[in-house]
Amino acid sequence: MMLKPYRLGALLLTLLALPVMPSVPALALAAAGAPAAPAAVAGKGHTAAQIGDFLIGFYGEHGPSAQDRETRVSQILKERQQVNEGVDVLLCAHDEPRDITIGPVTVAKTASVGWATVTTHWGSGDTDTFTAYVRLDSSPIRLDDVICAG
């Protein structure tokens, strides 16, 4: 192992302690009013209350309307629905539920996503659950993904 002189180590520590300045193009973009990088805007976006209100309105009592399915859903979910014609991917079901309830919303600002458990109630008395995801930076707010429980 080769030992480095103390001065080199001190120089490296000094360099590491210096503040990092953004590059000139980044400064020019910020001055021009361009949006910042996703990490810089992680603290902004939809709140848990906004996501909860959206999901309650989106799902209603029996599921999303045709207009909501067209305008308030990510392209990924639209494509998934085209591939899975026999299943409603937004409800993880084959039929229309009797009732739908939305659980508490969790927001992960560092991941730029919020989610809630959605429970569908059926005429037989059974219930099913799935998780609905909303990107915090979606504009307008829209359903980004659905993960079925089983």
Side-chain angles (χ1 to χ4, degrees), residues 2-64:
M2 181 179 220
L3 296 176
K4 296 191 183 350
Y6 173 76
R7 287 172 289 193
L8 181 58
L11 176 63
L12 288 173
L13 284 175
T14 303
L15 288 175
L16 291 173
L18 292 175
V20 177
M21 296 298 294
S23 65
V24 173
L27 289 174
L29 286 173
V41 294
K44 298 183 181 182
H46 309 300
T47 64
Q50 291 169 326
I51 293 170
D53 290 344
F54 164 75
L55 291 173
I56 290 167
F58 179 82
Y59 279 107
E61 291 181 17
H62 305 290

Side-chain angles (χ1 to χ4, degrees), residues 80-137:
R80 192 180 301 159
Q81 185 62 65
Q82 289 176 347
V83 174
N84 298 291
E85 293 179 12
V87 176
D88 185 340
V89 298
L90 302 181
L91 293 168
C92 298
H94 296 282
D95 298 317
E96 182 179 292
R98 180 180 48 109
D99 192 27
I100 299 174
T101 55
I102 308 296
V105 175
T106 302
V107 172
K109 289 185 179 184
T110 56
S112 295
V113 69
W115 66 89
T117 299
V118 179
T119 304
T120 51
H121 304 269
W122 303 95
S124 64
D126 291 341
T127 60
D128 288 320
T129 61
F130 58 90
T131 307
Y133 294 88
V134 173
R135 287 178 53 115
L136 299 183
D137 62 353

